Amino acid sequence: MKKECIAMLLAGGQGSRLYALTANVAKPNLPFGGKYRIIDFPLSNCANSGIDTVGVLTQYRPMKLNAYLGTGQPWDLSADDGGVFILPPYMSAGEKGNWFSGTANAIYQNIDFIDVRDPEYVLILSGDHIYKMDYADMLREHKEKGAACTIAVIQVGMEEAKRFGIMSTGDDGYINQFEEKPAHPKSDLASMGIYIFTWSKLRKALIEDEADPDSQQDFGKNIIPNLLAAGEKLWPYHFQGYWRDVGTITSLWDANMDMLSPELIDLYDRNWPIMSRSPIRPPQVVGPEADVRHSIVTEGCIVDGSVFNSVLSSQVTVEKGARVEYSVLMPGAVVEAGAEVRFAILGENVRVCRGAHVGTEPDGTDSWGVATCGPDVTVGPGAMVAPGAMLYDDLVAT
Amino acid sequence: MRNDLHGIIYTLSAEPALRELVEHRNSASIPFGGRYRLIDFALSMMVNAGIRDVGVIMERDYQSLLDHLSNGADWGLARRSGGLRLLPPFGLPEAHSGHFSGCMEALRSVRSYIRDITQEDIVLCAADWVGNIDLAAAVELHRSTGAEMTAVCSEGYGPFAHHRLVKDPDGFARHLLFSEGGPGEGLFSREIYILKRELLLQLMDYCSDALHNHFHRDAVAHYLAQGGKIAVYEHNQYARRITSVRDYYDASMELHQPQMMAELFPADGLPIRTKERAEASTYYSDTAKVNSSLVADGCYIEGELDHCILFRGVRVAKGAKLKNCVVMQDTVIGAGAQLRCVIADKDCVVTDNCFLAGTDRLPVVIPKGERV
């Protein structure tokens, strides 16, 4: 069962900055870009890169995510000697069992899972990034450079750099400094949270880190700085292309809008398909009164209203006379006749009733933001959801 | 939950009137409705009724069908015990032409398969029709009436609706009528039958001895002549056979009626399953103008569509105008092209500014893989 490289996908985060959208589901399971769930991107990248074994570390609200992953068959990850493995926290004999206390701890608790597969290398991924990447190319560089750890990096602006783990490199190209969210960044090379480790080195580092009572058991805060301090070789893998972290309402909305610009990320590339588990629905029906422009629409949708600059997931209904602009509509959302949805995110099965309004165009004020309706919420007839609002419960017009 | 049913679908030679549509395939694998193949309707009907064992009898030109069905996983039929069984022609006498002259002959070619079926009842149907039939309800009727044979029938008269059954007051039909022209008495048979395995084997033996090859003319007529009776399950929602290019075009255009769509793809059950493909959602550009159309995923639309059906992965470039067209998988329509009443098969290329027009009665068909 020897494997050269297996992937461990961190999918246990709550995504607390997405509020109502992740109140009941894990962030990686959020619908994205019409056809997809966020986790489809790293899973498809694995399949397309030839990595056939993926451990998915779950913790927060995993029920729907587990059901979505199933056997991994939609991503061609159901091979006999590989597959998708859901790895929740568990109990051991004589111990109480612990929740994953940090990203590194989550891997530490699954050392046995990795040891059984006996890989040379382990790829660590996040379940909340939108990008296409050939991990095989990254692995090639990792081997070529004889690194203990290779970190995928992307250039961000100096101002943005404060939000990321920032790498500095020496003349030889290897990483000589790593700072997590620095106040005064020394470089604009940001960690994408994608690592390839030589397993023997990571295994040792995880065990040492676990013994340190002061550690936060986090890759960025502990494991990487420790390896650097121990004099290990860390190599930056420079990624060119589209990559977004979708941890906030604004970034989730922005990244969805990016899907409307095929020059940013080509989802129609047959050589690098992003795969997903789709509900069994007929093709989308575009009605006689429909006007759909600069938008993406998915099977099972029924559209007879106006849809501009928007992303419609499966089974969305936009009735005649309804208007949807610059918005993200998750599966099963309904916009009734005469309702208007602008600069908004509608969670799964949200119903916007006749004459209701959700969100407005940007007005230049600081208080403006994308309006969000949590899953299963009904916006009653004629009700108004203000820009920037976060709706957890049904709303009735006042 | 196991039920005592086994499905058999026969995919025999295509009607010549399907012309280019069956140049590279049999009628069971003709693409239909934006993302389906005709056999999906028969298969989904069976799976939705809880059938977990389906045999598909193939005659010729079945490569495309094999590719579509694969191991049956997309219909939930990839199973360790039972599941989908593909039955290509095999074990025929050497002198046989490889062409079955009727359903009974096709069944005879897989006699050992049928003999070994463990379920009590067999559902038998062809794969050249479109519809969404609640087979579970038909099976319930079959069981509650204690019938040996149950037929799915419809009111009215359509193409190939010439096998007609007239119900007696007790609900059973005891006579089969053949009506070549005009509406006849009774209901017409949808050629979907539920019958006891034992009865089917008996009828096969009778037909074999007598060199009879046809299901209705020979087997059913014989059964009724011996005093048999047929329970009749009425299906009066949308369904139709596809036996010519004209049928195909008409059935496709009927999908633009919301009522037909609702009957074929009900929102709350009886899903029509098909082979999955990894696709993105469909992109509509700034210049897209789409009305009254059915569009599958993975399309990229910059042009204008009116009363069209687009299959997965179709590209329609800027300035292209399509009216009353069916465009199958991965076909590319060039900029400024104008098409009217055209059926473009899969993997075609319609070059920039090309002009093609058929009529409702005589749609133009672009054969698979052609460049126009």
Side-chain angles (χ1 to χ4, degrees):
Chain A
M1 184 86 196
K2 172 93 182 158
K3 293 276 174 191
E4 186 187 28
C5 182
I6 69 170
M8 298 294 273
L9 204 166
L10 299 160
Q14 180 183 351
S16 55
R17 288 170 302 157
L18 292 169
Y19 308 95
L21 295 177
T22 49
N24 289 306
V25 295
K27 180 163 61 169
N29 197 41
L30 267 191
F32 182 86
K35 187 93 174 177
Y36 309 111
R37 306 260 162 182
I38 294 169
I39 199 170
D40 289 330
F41 288 82
L43 283 179
S44 300
N45 287 339
C46 282
N48 292 331
S49 302
I51 291 172
D52 67 4
T53 304
V54 184
V56 180
L57 298 127
T58 63
Q59 176 153 291
Y60 175 79
R61 293 274 183 185
M63 184 182 78
K64 288 183 176 168
L65 180 60
N66 293 354
Y68 184 69
L69 294 173
T71 60
Q73 186 266 337
W75 302 271
D76 280 343
L77 290 171
S78 58
D80 272 355
D81 58 348
V84 166
F85 298 86
I86 294 163
L87 303 170
Y90 61 91
M91 280 173 65
S92 300
E95 290 176 23
K96 258 180 88 179
N98 286 307
W99 295 107
F100 299 146
S101 57
T103 51
N105 177 258
I107 306 299
Y108 172 82
Q109 291 202 35
N110 286 288
I111 284 179
D112 287 351
F113 171 84
I114 301 172
D115 279 346
V116 169
R117 278 132 192 108
D118 193 19
E120 293 296 314
Y121 309 100
V122 172
L123 168 67
I124 307 289
L125 300 171
S126 289
D128 51 5
H129 296 161
I130 306 299
Y131 65 111
K132 300 202 294 189
M133 186 195 275
D134 184 357
Y135 304 134
D137 189 56
M138 183 173 170
L139 179 62
R140 186 187 50 73
E141 230 174 86
H142 176 82
K143 289 193 276 191
E144 222 172 77
K145 298 298 173 184
C149 171
T150 297
I151 303 174
V153 295
I154 191 163
Q155 255 183 326
V156 294
M158 273 299 185
E159 199 43 43
E160 261 208 288
K162 294 171 186 170
R163 296 172 36 226
F164 291 95
I166 293 299
M167 241 76 55
S168 304
T169 54
D171 294 340
D172 58 0
Y174 286 90
I175 296 166
N176 58 18
Q177 204 178 4
F178 180 92
E179 286 181 291
E180 188 70 21
K181 301 192 176 112
H184 305 287
K186 295 194 184 75
S187 110
D188 62 352
L189 275 188
S191 164
M192 297 162 66
I194 299 162
Y195 316 103
I196 289 178
F197 289 94
T198 300
W199 173 231
S200 57
K201 307 267 188 192
L202 174 62
R203 196 178 190 284
K204 184 163 161 280
L206 287 172
I207 291 168
E208 285 168 7
D209 181 62
E210 193 65 20
D212 175 2
D214 298 327
S215 171
Q216 295 178 55
Q217 299 168 331
D218 183 86
F219 276 100
K221 291 182 190 129
N222 308 106
I223 301 291
I224 305 291
N226 292 352
L227 285 175
L228 205 54
E232 294 288 357
K233 280 185 180 173
L234 272 64
W235 179 255
Y237 175 74
H238 291 263
F239 177 73
Q240 314 275 343
Y242 183 85
W243 175 82
R244 292 290 183 281
D245 179 314
V246 287
T248 64
I249 292 292
T250 308
S251 63
L252 179 66
W253 181 86
D254 269 340
N256 268 289
M257 291 300 127
D258 287 344
M259 298 302 122
L260 300 176
S261 304
E263 66 277 11
L264 287 177
I265 179 167
D266 182 6
L267 300 171
Y268 301 87
D269 178 5
R270 291 256 176 264
N271 297 318
W272 204 269
I274 305 300
M275 296 163 267
S276 62
R277 183 186 295 279
S278 307
I280 303 164
R281 297 306 308 162
Q284 48 201 269
V285 178
V286 183
E289 308 293 328
D291 186 4
V292 185
R293 276 178 279 151
H294 200 241
S295 292
I296 55 182
V297 182
T298 310
E299 281 169 353
C301 285
I302 299 175
V303 179
D304 206 13
S306 302
V307 176
F308 304 131
N309 300 291
S310 293
V311 174
L312 272 54
S313 290
S314 171
Q315 295 168 78
V316 165
T317 303
V318 179
E319 291 182 359
K320 188 167 138 181
R323 203 173 171 83
V324 176
E325 292 177 6
Y326 295 95
S327 293
V328 179
L329 277 59
M330 294 186 179
V334 178
V335 183
E336 292 186 356
E340 296 193 1
V341 177
R342 287 198 174 92
F343 293 85
I345 300 177
L346 303 184
E348 292 192 51
N349 304 316
V350 165
R351 177 172 284 271
V352 180
C353 297
R354 283 174 171 273
H357 284 66
V358 179
T360 63
E361 277 142 44
D363 53 12
T365 62
D366 286 345
S367 60
W368 184 89
V370 170
T372 308
C373 298
D376 303 312
V377 160
T378 297
V379 180
M384 306 273 275
V385 178
M390 172 62 60
L391 199 62
Y392 282 83
D393 297 301
D394 292 354
L395 183 70
V396 181
T398 48
Chain B
M1 245 183 337
R2 289 194 75 84
N3 61 16
D4 217 0
L5 285 170
H6 193 110
I8 295 180
I9 299 174
Y10 48 92
T11 65
L12 306 187
S13 290
E15 299 288 337
L18 284 161
R19 299 185 347 225
E20 297 91 338
L21 295 176
V22 291
E23 217 170 71
H24 302 280
R25 55 172 84 92
N26 62 27
S27 51
S29 62
I30 295 177
F32 183 82
R35 62 196 297 269
Y36 306 97
R37 304 281 183 143
L38 290 186
I39 196 171
D40 292 337
F41 296 93
L43 260 185
S44 299
M45 172 188 78
M46 290 184 174
V47 169
N48 289 337
I51 296 181
R52 292 294 173 263
D53 299 277
V54 180
V56 178
I57 302 176
M58 301 177 179
E59 184 177 4
R60 58 206 301 173
D61 305 325
Y62 50 76
Q63 191 172 351
S64 133
L65 186 60
L66 288 177
D67 178 51
H68 179 65
L69 295 175
S70 184
N71 65 352
D74 287 316
W75 298 266
L77 293 172
R79 307 175 78 84
R80 183 160 283 189
S81 63
L84 182 69
R85 273 285 293 277
L86 303 172
L87 305 165
F90 177 77
L92 297 172
E94 228 166 88
H96 198 277
S97 65
H99 171 78
F100 298 127
S101 54
C103 168
M104 294 313 287
E105 191 183 11
L107 290 170
R108 205 148 63 226
S109 75
V110 295
R111 192 179 193 288
S112 61
Y113 173 81
I114 294 172
R115 189 194 59 216
D116 293 342
I117 286 173
T118 56
Q119 288 94 345
E120 191 186 340
D121 287 304
I122 289 174
V123 178
L124 187 63
C125 72
D128 58 355
W129 53 275
V130 172
N132 194 342
I133 293 167
D134 185 359
L135 183 65
V139 170
E140 204 177 295
L141 178 85
H142 180 72
R143 298 267 158 83
S144 67
T145 56
E148 287 184 298
M149 185 187 288
T150 298
V152 176
C153 294
S154 299
E155 287 171 353
Y157 185 85
F160 285 81
H162 45 246
H163 299 124
R164 304 188 73 87
L165 293 165
V166 182
K167 278 203 273 189
D168 288 338
D170 65 355
F172 286 96
R174 290 180 176 78
H175 300 283
L176 182 64
L177 306 176
F178 298 90
S179 141
E180 274 299 342
E185 216 186 327
L187 303 159
F188 76 89
S189 168
R190 287 268 173 213
E191 315 208 348
I192 298 166
Y193 288 89
I194 306 163
L195 73 173
K196 302 265 182 238
R197 185 183 66 101
E198 287 307 320
L199 174 61
L200 181 61
L201 285 168
Q202 281 166 25
L203 295 175
M204 283 166 62
D205 289 344
Y206 161 76
C207 288
S208 173
D209 293 344
L211 286 174
H212 290 326
N213 293 330
H214 298 283
F215 186 75
H216 289 93
R217 201 175 70 194
D218 301 325
V220 176
H222 173 73
Y223 170 65
L224 293 175
Q226 299 292 305
K229 55 182 185 175
I230 300 175
V232 175
Y233 175 78
E234 274 192 60
H235 172 85
N236 287 319
Q237 287 205 315
Y238 184 72
R240 70 178 289 166
R241 279 186 72 181
I242 307 287
T243 54
S244 66
V245 168
R246 176 85 190 280
D247 274 347
Y248 179 85
Y249 176 83
D250 289 348
S252 296
M253 291 303 133
E254 279 166 357
L255 293 174
H256 297 311
Q257 301 170 29
Q259 178 67 22
M260 303 299 182
M261 276 298 282
E263 291 184 6
L264 212 43
F265 306 106
D268 52 353
L270 303 183
I272 304 297
R273 292 158 203 271
T274 189
K275 183 181 178 179
E276 284 297 330
R277 255 173 64 152
E279 293 288 358
S281 301
T282 282
Y283 175 72
Y284 297 77
S285 82
D286 275 338
T287 53
K289 188 170 185 307
V290 180
N291 292 104
S292 303
S293 291
L294 194 61
V295 181
D297 279 349
C299 296
Y300 198 95
I301 306 171
E302 298 173 285
E304 299 183 16
L305 305 174
D306 183 18
H307 286 83
C308 290
I309 293 175
L310 260 55
F311 285 70
R312 293 180 275 199
V314 167
R315 291 186 173 236
V316 180
K318 218 185 233 178
K321 288 187 178 160
L322 279 68
K323 189 171 164 53
N324 293 19
C325 292
V326 178
V327 186
M328 297 185 195
Q329 301 89 293
D330 303 317
T331 283
V332 177
I333 310 291
Q338 292 198 36
L339 308 183
R340 200 185 173 101
C341 303
V342 170
I343 299 169
D345 208 315
K346 54 186 286 199
D347 300 321
C348 292
V349 176
V350 175
T351 49
D352 292 356
N353 303 314
C354 175
F355 182 87
L356 264 180
T359 67
D360 281 341
R361 295 182 61 84
L362 198 64
V364 171
V365 182
I366 307 174
K368 181 178 164 184
E370 282 293 331
R371 193 181 164 86
V372 188

